[in-house]
């Protein structure tokens, strides 16, 4: 074989996904997809109820979202499906205007996400600090657990030993073998026990009727007018922002867990495409599902797009082909899986006494505020925004006092040189004006900014105020040492700001 043929063959092998050449990876991805599909069913039905639509609508959305994002998304192994956050946003549209407007909202939200992704909104993730990320993860774990509480209250007593048994399988079965995911074993074992023994406990079938056929594409039944756009646009934009926020935060979390990097821009655009496709199939849309993603990545060990695709494909197969069997799965089995996911997701190191003693108070405050807001609103996006804003305030307060001013008077007493060190912006520049001796200084004043940087108009205004006060006393001020960006900003704004 020629060298060129060998090179071509090697290149083609490099294009093949890992699961095609590695049976172990293939087995892991297939079983992970099956476990996620089982966990998606009750969640999708619950979110359908929140949105006020038929349970089949949520299941169809989970199917189309997962299958589409497995191809166009930027984060391998991440699960996208119908979610509670999206359901809460679009529920008023369905309630006030009807299902056709809901579908149109989902499609427009997808368009917005594609646009936002194309213009680089994903780059804003760099401004989310670690303390917010930790708070986000901990709040997520709390929300996952809280979502299971209704399944553990006012239920027949056999539910509790079933949950305990499921947790025991999840903890101890991996010590025996990891060939088959423990969640799948737990679900199968508890289902067999309840069916064989005739134990009457809440099941998946109690959540709603499963679909019996695949979704059919179509166009939203709404008038294509400006009035329709005015109705759906605000909801579509809100859905787009909430969906992107949750998806990008989830992608970042999976990046950290797997120690890999993914394209957030592609993920943003992919989420939009998935929602557009989902909308044209008459479903409720969605975004990344953090709980199911944790099952897929952290519990089942999936790492490729195959698991995401199969989660959606298995979901429909389970509903359409094995509907009666799936309906018999006890909710206790799924509750046990989600409780284990909650426990594994929580960052216990972040609340350890040793960590809290070493962590700056501001960092702890940001983490706690993020957790409180997310848990109080049940909205991860709101919590991340509030947490990030809090972190910015803490940072601004911390660096506001980093601008130091020292004065040295010349031997002849005719000139004083003020050396300013640090970053000058709206917070630190507020104290700058009060650090000069306007009455006691000699006639020549030099302000040396060699070790400082001017960031905004507030700093330029503060320097103008200093010059004005000295000028009122007949003294001259010379500003020296400006770096190029600072000199450019000062040159453009000095003397042009109101009040000076």
């Amino acid at each position: 074989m020629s060298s060129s043929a060998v090179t071509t063959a090697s290149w083609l092998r490099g294009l093949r996904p890992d699961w095609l050449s590695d049976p172990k990876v293939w087995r892991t991805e297939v079983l992970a997809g099956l476990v996620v599909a089982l966990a998606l069913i009750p969640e999708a039905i619950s979110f359908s109820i929140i949105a006020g639509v038929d349970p089949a609508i949520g299941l169809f959305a989970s199917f189309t979202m997962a299958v589409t994002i497995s191809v166009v998304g930027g984060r391998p192994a991440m699960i996208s499906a119908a979610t509670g956050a999206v359901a809460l946003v679009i529920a008023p549209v369905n309630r006030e205007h009807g299902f056709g407007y809901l579908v149109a909202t989902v499609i427009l939200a997808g368009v917005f996400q594609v646009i936002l992704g194309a213009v680089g909104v994903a780059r804003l993730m760099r401004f989310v600090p670690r303390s917010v990320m930790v708070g986000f993860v901990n709040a997520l774990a709390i929300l996952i657990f809280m979502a299971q509480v209704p399944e553990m209250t006012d239920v027949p007593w056999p539910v509790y030993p079933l949950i305990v048994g499921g947790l025991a399988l999840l903890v101890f079965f991996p010590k025996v073998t990891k060939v088959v995911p423990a969640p799948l074993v737990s679900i199968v074992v508890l289902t067999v026990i309840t069916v064989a023994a005739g134990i009457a406990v809440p099941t998946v079938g109690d959540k709603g009727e499963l679909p019996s056929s695949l979704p059919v594409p179509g166009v939203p039944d709404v008038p294509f007018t400006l009035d329709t756009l005015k109705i759906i646009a605000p909801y579509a934009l809100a859905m787009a922002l909430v969906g992107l926020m949750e998806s990008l935060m989830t992608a970042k979390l999976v990046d950290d867990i797997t120690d890999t990097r993914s394209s957030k821009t592609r993920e943003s655009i992919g989420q939009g495409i998935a929602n557009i496709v989902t909308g044209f199939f008459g479903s409720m849309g969605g975004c990344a599902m953090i709980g199911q993603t944790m099952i897929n990545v952290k519990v089942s060990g999936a790492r490729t797009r195959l698991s995401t695709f199969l989660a959606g494909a298995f979901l429909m197969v389970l509903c359409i082909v094995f509907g009666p069997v799936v309906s018999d799965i006890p909710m206790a089995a799924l509750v046990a899986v989600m409780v284990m996911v909650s426990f594994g997701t929580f960052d216990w190191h972040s609340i350890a006494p040793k960590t809290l003693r070493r962590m700056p108070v501001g960092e702890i405050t940001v983490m706690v505020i993020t957790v409180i807001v997310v848990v109080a609103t049940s909205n991860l996006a709101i919590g991340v925004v509030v947490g990030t804003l809090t972190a910015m305030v803490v940072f601004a307060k911390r660096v506001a006092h980093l601008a130091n001013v020292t004065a040295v008077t010349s031997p002849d007493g005719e000139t004083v040189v003020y050396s300013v060190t640090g970053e000058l912006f709206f917070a630190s520049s507020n104290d700058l004006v009060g650090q000069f001796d306007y009455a006691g200084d000699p006639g020549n004043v030099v302000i040396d900014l060699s070790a400082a940087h001017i960031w905004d108009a507030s700093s330029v205004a503060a320097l103008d105020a200093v010059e004005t006060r000295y000028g009122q006393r007949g003294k001259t001020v010379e500003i020296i040492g400006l770096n190029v960006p600072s000199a450019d900003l000062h040159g453009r704004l000095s003397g042009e700001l109101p009040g000076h």
Side-chain angles (χ1 to χ4, degrees):
M1 184 180 293
S2 65
S3 59
S4 59
V6 172
T7 302
T8 302
S10 300
W11 179 76
L12 289 173
R13 283 195 299 271
L15 293 178
R16 295 176 65 189
D18 290 340
W19 53 270
L20 278 179
S21 55
D22 189 337
K24 184 178 180 181
V25 172
W26 184 86
R27 182 179 63 245
T28 299
E29 300 296 311
V30 171
L31 294 176
L34 179 58
V35 172
V36 172
L38 290 168
L40 277 174
I41 294 174
E43 295 275 311
I45 294 174
S46 299
F47 298 146
S48 299
I49 295 171
I50 293 174
V53 298
D54 189 82
I57 301 300
L59 292 166
F60 287 154
S62 296
F63 162 63
T64 54
M65 286 293 298
V67 169
T68 305
I69 206 68
S70 69
V71 178
V72 300
R75 174 64 257 180
M78 193 166 77
I79 304 297
S80 290
T83 59
V86 168
L88 288 170
V89 172
I90 61 177
V93 183
N94 184 58
R95 184 171 57 248
E96 298 171 15
H97 303 284
F99 182 68
Y101 284 85
L102 181 149
V103 173
T105 299
V106 171
I107 294 173
L108 183 59
V111 173
F112 282 152
Q113 288 178 330
V114 171
I115 294 172
L116 291 170
V119 299
V121 69
R123 288 194 291 269
L124 295 176
M125 288 301 297
R126 73 182 68 177
F127 296 106
V128 178
R130 182 186 177 279
S131 53
V132 173
M133 191 67 189
V134 173
F136 167 84
V137 170
N138 290 345
L140 162 65
I142 294 172
L143 286 181
I144 292 174
F145 181 81
M146 289 176 60
Q148 312 313 310
V149 173
E151 305 296 338
M152 295 185 283
T153 55
D154 297 325
V155 293
W157 69 266
V159 168
Y160 302 109
L162 285 172
I163 293 176
V164 173
L167 290 172
L169 283 170
L170 291 167
V171 172
F172 295 110
F173 187 80
K175 299 180 185 300
V176 178
T177 178
K178 294 184 179 180
V179 173
V180 181
L184 181 58
V185 173
S186 178
I187 292 170
V188 171
V189 169
L190 294 190
T191 302
V192 170
I193 290 174
T194 54
V195 172
I199 302 174
V201 292
T203 64
V204 170
D206 296 331
K207 289 292 183 179
E209 186 177 350
L210 302 181
S212 57
S213 61
L214 291 171
V216 178
V219 178
D221 184 18
V222 296
F224 292 89
T225 63
L226 185 59
D227 288 338
T228 298
L229 183 62
K230 289 179 180 178
I231 291 172
I232 67 175
Y235 297 104
L237 182 60
M239 175 183 164
L241 293 174
V242 169
L244 282 184
M245 179 71 74
E246 292 212 22
S247 299
L248 293 176
M249 289 295 290
T250 305
K252 186 176 180 181
L253 178 59
V254 177
D255 286 354
D256 293 340
I257 292 173
T258 61
D259 195 23
T260 59
R261 291 294 170 260
S262 59
S263 172
K264 304 304 183 296
T265 296
R266 177 177 171 179
E267 184 60 41
S268 301
I269 296 174
Q271 288 290 330
I273 295 173
N275 273 306
I276 293 171
V277 171
T278 299
F280 279 115
F281 273 92
S283 297
M284 58 182 281
C287 62
M289 289 195 77
I290 305 177
Q292 274 63 25
T293 297
M294 290 299 100
I295 293 175
N296 196 45
V297 174
K298 201 166 186 178
V299 178
S300 301
R303 292 294 184 269
T304 77
R305 300 179 187 278
L306 179 62
S307 58
T308 305
F309 175 84
L310 290 178
F314 282 150
L315 176 63
M316 282 294 97
V317 172
L318 289 170
C319 291
I320 296 172
V321 180
F322 301 101
V325 176
V326 173
S327 296
D328 288 335
I329 295 175
M331 286 301 300
L334 299 175
V335 168
V337 172
M338 297 309 292
V339 168
M340 199 66 186
V341 169
S342 171
F343 184 86
T345 300
F346 197 92
D347 187 350
W348 298 101
H349 176 73
S350 67
I351 61 172
K354 183 178 180 180
T355 303
L356 294 176
R357 284 195 299 269
R358 295 181 176 181
M359 191 73 67
V361 175
E363 300 280 316
I364 298 174
T365 302
V366 171
M367 180 183 71
V368 171
I369 288 177
T370 302
V371 171
I372 291 174
V373 173
V374 170
V375 173
T377 63
S378 296
N379 191 313
L380 293 163
I382 294 176
V384 170
V385 170
V386 173
T388 302
L389 291 176
T390 304
M392 290 180 178
V393 171
V394 171
F395 174 76
K397 184 178 180 181
R398 184 181 302 165
V399 301
H401 306 292
L402 295 183
N404 298 316
V405 179
T406 56
V408 177
T409 304
S410 63
D412 58 12
E414 296 182 357
T415 302
V416 60
V417 178
Y418 282 93
S419 297
V420 181
T421 303
E423 308 299 323
L424 299 181
F425 65 112
F426 63 89
S428 60
S429 60
N430 288 333
D431 298 329
L432 185 65
V433 179
Q435 298 192 49
F436 295 85
D437 185 4
Y438 302 100
D441 282 341
N444 298 317
V445 178
V446 177
I447 302 177
D448 186 0
L449 298 176
S450 301
H453 186 94
I454 299 176
W455 287 102
D456 58 10
S458 297
S459 303
V460 176
L463 292 172
D464 283 352
V466 172
E467 292 187 82
T468 299
R469 293 193 183 187
Y470 276 119
Q472 290 171 346
R473 293 169 173 79
K475 301 175 182 181
T476 61
V477 176
E478 180 184 7
I479 297 176
I480 65 172
L482 288 170
N483 57 36
V484 175
S486 298
D488 179 65
L489 183 63
H490 185 265
R492 284 188 288 110
L493 297 181
S494 182
E496 302 295 331
L497 300 171
H500 300 288

